[in-house]
């Protein structure tokens, strides 16, 4: 594993500040040659985080020995700070970084030319690894054709998913009527540190690429899930469904979610919802109530996770008592909801009260495939299609694992009531994680179910979320090296 990690680092010499587009100048080069090398690249644990990774490597011309350095340039923070389920702690707002303050204010221009921008770099730096695997695996030594095809399929699917997530920040929210002219993001499909002159696809081109890559790759993936850091058919169908869900193509999303749900039973590792009514007793200590669920499993052992791309932003906010739940969101939790124990109105290491409740623990969160999101997205698709019984069953499945059954049970007579209840459940389940940002983009043009909260105040000023700012402007440093790349309005 150490050799494979060094190999990855050597291969990633491009990642983080490149004068062209992606971000770094390679100082040395090591070329993987065996199937085991390429497979090992995808085992690297650093690929499991939504973080901007910087790798540099040098090689000794006489001995061939590789030396390297590694650093994380930052987490993807925008979805957390820009989401409308949270508000700033006024007592600590001056401790926010300038970029964090700009996110919070939904500012037009977030970055200065000299700023590192993890929101851009995280996806494109990791994308290089998957391009490398796609380009080199089939010609590598060792491995069967089936193993190689499976590995390439996994890399293609995750590469597509990285483009999808980058689009949730820098491409216009998908709208079928305008997709052909709306700006997408650059499609980067080569592991080439010298490439330049990048331009932006249209949203139609972008989402067609993402869907096609997933649909072609899924049949070649492992039907059984054996590792939460590696993609199986279950995770692939989840991704495909989530893409359609974000495109508001709920009928197609439902078909993918049904396929995913049917593959859960074939997993070789435990994948299921935890019963919080039982498990919270093991995770929560009343004498440490301000720490939240301190004994909660990490993202790789969490049995609700299917495929991991985690963020650590909630815990960094909690350490500095930066962001609090908006009171209307906290009020959605009923008294017996065990998820309330995730939140605290005190600092992690202080008995002083906060002016609201912050997410205390668990402080890291998986933004990729999970059982809770699978159930809630599937339920919403069913409700929108008028299949109320199936939607209520999925909603109840989640709720009865979060609170006593008597509180979990609900009854709805109309599609509208049920969809709104599911959207409220999404607010509860994913509060202060960043997932809300995707729902804000998806629901902004939904005339029936738009539940966005578009104003916030801090330091005596009020800020309003314009529809244009559901899309970030391209970082200034990226535009400086790509003068032909059009910026967002």
């Amino acid at each position: 594993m150490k050799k494979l990690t060094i190999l990855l680092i050597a291969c990633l010499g491009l990642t983080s500040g490149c004068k062209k587009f992606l971000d770094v100048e390679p100082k040395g080069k090591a070329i993987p040659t065996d199937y085991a090398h390429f497979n090992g690249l995808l085992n690297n644990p650093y690929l499991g985080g939504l973080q901007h990774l910087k790798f540099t490597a040098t090689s000794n011309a006489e001995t061939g020995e590789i030396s390297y350095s590694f650093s994380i340039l930052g987490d993807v923070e925008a979805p957390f700070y820009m989401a409308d389920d949270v508000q700033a702690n006024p007592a600590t707002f001056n401790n926010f970084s300038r970029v964090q303050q700009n996110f919070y204010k939904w500012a037009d221009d977030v970055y200065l030319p000299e700023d590192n921008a993890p929101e851009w770099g995280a996806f494109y730096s990791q994308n290089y690894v998957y391009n490398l695997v796609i380009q080199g695996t089939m010609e590598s030594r060792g491995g069967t054709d089936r193993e190689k095809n499976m590995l390439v399929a996994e890399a293609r699917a995750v590469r597509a998913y990285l483009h999808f997530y980058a689009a949730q920040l820098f491409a216009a929210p998908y709208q079928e009527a305008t997709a052909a002219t709306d700006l997408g993001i650059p499609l980067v499909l080569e592991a080439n540190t010298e490439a330049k002159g990048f331009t932006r696809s249209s949203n139609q081109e972008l989402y067609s690429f993402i869907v096609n890559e997933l649909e072609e790759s899924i049949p070649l993936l492992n039907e059984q899930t054996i590792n939460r850091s590696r993609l199986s058919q279950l995770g692939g169908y989840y991704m495909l469904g989530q893409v359609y869900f974000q495109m508001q193509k709920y009928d197609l999303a439902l078909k993918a979610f049904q396929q995913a749900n049917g593959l859960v039973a074939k997993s070789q590792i435990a994948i299921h919802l935890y019963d919080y009514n039982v498990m919270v007793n093991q995770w929560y200590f009343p004498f440490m109530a301000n720490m939240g669920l301190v004994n909660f499993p990490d993202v790789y052992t969490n049995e609700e996770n299917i495929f991991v791309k985690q963020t650590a932003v909630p815990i960094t906010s909690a350490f500095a008592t930066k962001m609090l739940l908006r009171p209307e969101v906290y009020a959605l939790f009923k008294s017996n909801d065990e998820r309330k124990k995730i939140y605290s109105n005190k600092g992690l290491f202080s008995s002083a009260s906060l002016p609201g409740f912050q997410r205390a623990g668990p402080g890291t969160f998986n933004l990729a495939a999970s059982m809770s999101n699978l159930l809630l997205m599937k339920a919403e698709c069913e409700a929108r299609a008028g299949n109320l019984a199936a939607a209520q069953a999925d909603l109840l499945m989640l709720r009865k694992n979060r609170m006593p059954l008597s509180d979990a049970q609900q009854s709805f007579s109309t599609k509208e009531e049920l969809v709104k209840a599911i959207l409220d459940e999404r607010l509860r389940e994913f509060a202060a994680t960043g997932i809300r940002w995707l729902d804000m983009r998806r629901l902004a043009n939904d005339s029936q179910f738009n539940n966005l909260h578009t104003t916030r105040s801090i330091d005596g000023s009020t800020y309003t979320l314009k529809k244009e700012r559901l899309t970030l402007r391209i970082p200034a440093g990226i535009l400086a090296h790509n003068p032909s790349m059009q910026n967002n309005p």
Side-chain angles (χ1 to χ4, degrees):
M1 188 65 229
K2 181 179 178 183
K3 290 181 179 178
L4 291 171
T5 300
I6 293 172
L7 180 61
L8 169 62
I9 290 166
C11 291
L12 274 183
L14 78 130
T15 357
S16 136
C18 177
K19 309 279 190 210
K20 317 275 193 304
F21 173 74
L22 297 177
D23 258 354
V24 144
E25 280 181 52
K27 305 240 185 299
K29 199 181 345 187
I31 305 299
T33 55
D34 294 353
Y35 164 80
H37 294 160
F38 287 104
N39 187 54
L41 293 180
L42 299 195
N43 287 329
N44 193 289
Y46 295 116
L47 292 178
L50 288 183
Q51 299 163 327
H52 189 184
L53 306 179
K54 178 181 180 180
F55 299 87
T56 56
T58 57
S59 57
N60 187 305
E62 295 182 2
T63 66
E65 182 179 353
I66 298 173
S67 61
Y68 62 89
S69 62
F70 162 80
S71 62
I72 296 175
L73 298 182
D75 288 289
V76 176
E77 296 184 325
F80 177 77
Y81 286 100
M82 297 181 74
D84 65 359
D85 57 350
V86 290
Q87 63 185 30
N89 179 357
T92 61
F93 190 66
N94 289 335
N95 296 331
F96 286 38
S97 71
R98 173 180 44 79
V99 170
Q100 290 168 350
Q101 289 188 5
N102 285 339
F103 286 147
Y104 186 76
K105 295 175 181 178
W106 298 313
D108 287 332
D109 291 302
V110 173
Y111 310 100
L112 295 176
E114 63 270 21
D115 284 337
N116 166 56
E119 282 68 33
W120 184 274
F123 302 104
Y124 283 112
S125 64
Q126 292 192 25
N127 188 59
Y128 179 84
V129 184
Y130 296 99
N131 277 332
L132 191 68
V133 170
I134 292 165
Q135 288 178 203
T137 296
M138 297 310 296
E139 303 302 320
S140 64
R141 297 189 298 251
T144 66
D145 287 345
R146 180 178 180 276
E147 288 173 329
K148 290 178 178 180
N149 283 321
M150 185 183 299
L151 184 60
V152 171
E154 180 181 357
R156 287 178 64 191
V158 180
R159 178 182 67 178
Y161 196 60
L162 290 172
H163 280 82
F164 166 75
Y165 241 104
Q168 305 318 303
L169 294 171
F170 295 105
Y174 185 88
Q175 294 294 313
E176 185 77 16
T178 59
T181 54
D182 286 339
L183 288 170
I185 57 171
L187 295 174
V188 181
L189 310 180
E190 289 185 87
N192 182 357
T193 63
E194 302 302 317
K196 57 184 178 180
F198 288 91
T199 58
R200 300 176 65 176
S201 66
S202 70
N203 256 0
Q204 189 66 59
E205 293 168 332
L206 170 65
Y207 280 85
S208 294
F209 162 77
I210 293 169
V211 167
N212 183 68
E213 288 290 285
L214 289 170
E215 288 184 336
E216 289 188 2
S217 299
I218 288 170
L220 300 174
L221 296 174
N222 194 338
E223 192 177 42
Q224 298 178 320
T225 304
I226 60 174
N227 188 325
R228 293 178 221 284
S229 66
R230 299 295 297 267
L231 190 68
S232 65
Q233 285 188 13
L234 168 54
Y237 277 118
Y238 175 103
M239 289 177 176
L240 179 61
Q242 188 181 23
V243 172
Y244 279 133
F245 189 70
Q246 204 66 17
M247 297 170 74
Q248 304 111 58
K249 295 188 176 185
Y250 298 109
D251 55 338
L252 296 175
L254 179 57
K255 291 178 182 178
F257 293 143
Q258 289 169 336
Q259 293 270 21
N261 201 48
L263 288 165
V264 172
K266 295 187 177 183
S267 175
Q268 290 188 11
I269 57 175
I271 296 177
H272 61 93
L273 290 175
Y274 286 120
D275 186 348
Y276 279 33
N277 299 294
V278 175
M279 298 302 297
V280 165
N281 291 329
Q282 301 177 28
W283 300 334
Y284 178 77
F285 306 117
F287 62 91
M288 300 172 65
N290 58 328
M291 302 291 288
L293 305 183
V294 295
N295 212 24
F296 195 83
D298 67 61
V299 290
Y300 290 105
T301 58
N302 183 341
E303 294 175 3
E304 293 195 355
N305 287 338
I306 297 166
F307 179 72
V308 172
K309 287 288 184 184
Q310 73 165 325
T311 176
V313 178
I315 193 62
T316 59
S317 171
F319 273 115
T321 63
K322 287 182 175 180
M323 297 294 284
L324 311 169
L325 285 189
R326 191 161 52 83
E328 296 86 350
V329 174
Y330 187 73
L332 292 173
F333 293 96
K334 303 305 181 185
S335 58
N336 290 329
D337 194 325
E338 295 293 338
R339 290 171 294 191
K340 289 186 75 173
K341 295 186 174 75
I342 293 172
Y343 306 95
S344 171
N345 65 346
K346 293 182 171 58
L348 294 186
F349 303 109
S350 170
S351 60
S353 294
L354 302 172
F357 287 80
Q358 69 174 3
R359 186 180 181 91
T364 56
F365 192 81
N366 180 29
L367 291 179
S370 69
M371 278 304 301
S372 59
N373 207 6
L374 174 59
L375 275 175
L376 286 176
M377 289 190 293
K378 181 170 174 281
E380 185 177 335
C381 292
E382 289 163 338
R384 286 176 179 269
N387 191 346
L388 304 192
Q392 288 188 87
D394 282 341
L395 182 58
L396 178 60
M397 176 62 71
L398 177 75
R399 287 175 58 81
K400 73 180 184 181
N401 282 285
R402 299 299 189 249
M403 63 192 76
L405 180 61
S406 57
D407 292 335
Q409 292 174 322
Q410 298 170 300
S411 180
F412 305 96
S413 57
T414 69
K415 175 176 78 172
E416 290 73 21
E417 290 176 342
L418 183 50
V419 171
K420 288 177 181 178
I422 293 168
L423 293 177
D424 282 349
E425 201 63 50
R426 292 185 64 79
L427 282 166
R428 283 185 284 264
E429 181 69 13
F430 305 124
T433 64
I435 282 184
R436 171 62 181 169
W437 176 249
L438 274 68
D439 282 345
M440 291 169 64
R441 286 170 50 91
R442 178 173 64 91
L443 298 171
N445 290 311
D446 189 322
S447 60
Q448 193 169 18
F449 299 111
N450 181 331
N451 64 355
L452 275 65
H453 183 78
T454 57
T455 61
R456 53 179 32 163
S457 299
I458 193 72
D459 288 346
S461 298
T462 298
Y463 301 93
T464 300
L465 175 61
K466 302 178 294 185
K467 282 198 174 180
E468 291 86 353
R469 287 292 68 78
L470 289 166
T471 307
L472 293 174
R473 287 168 62 80
I474 306 296
I478 299 298
L479 291 176
H481 297 303
N482 293 271
S484 60
M485 190 182 298
Q486 186 176 349
N487 205 349
N488 292 317

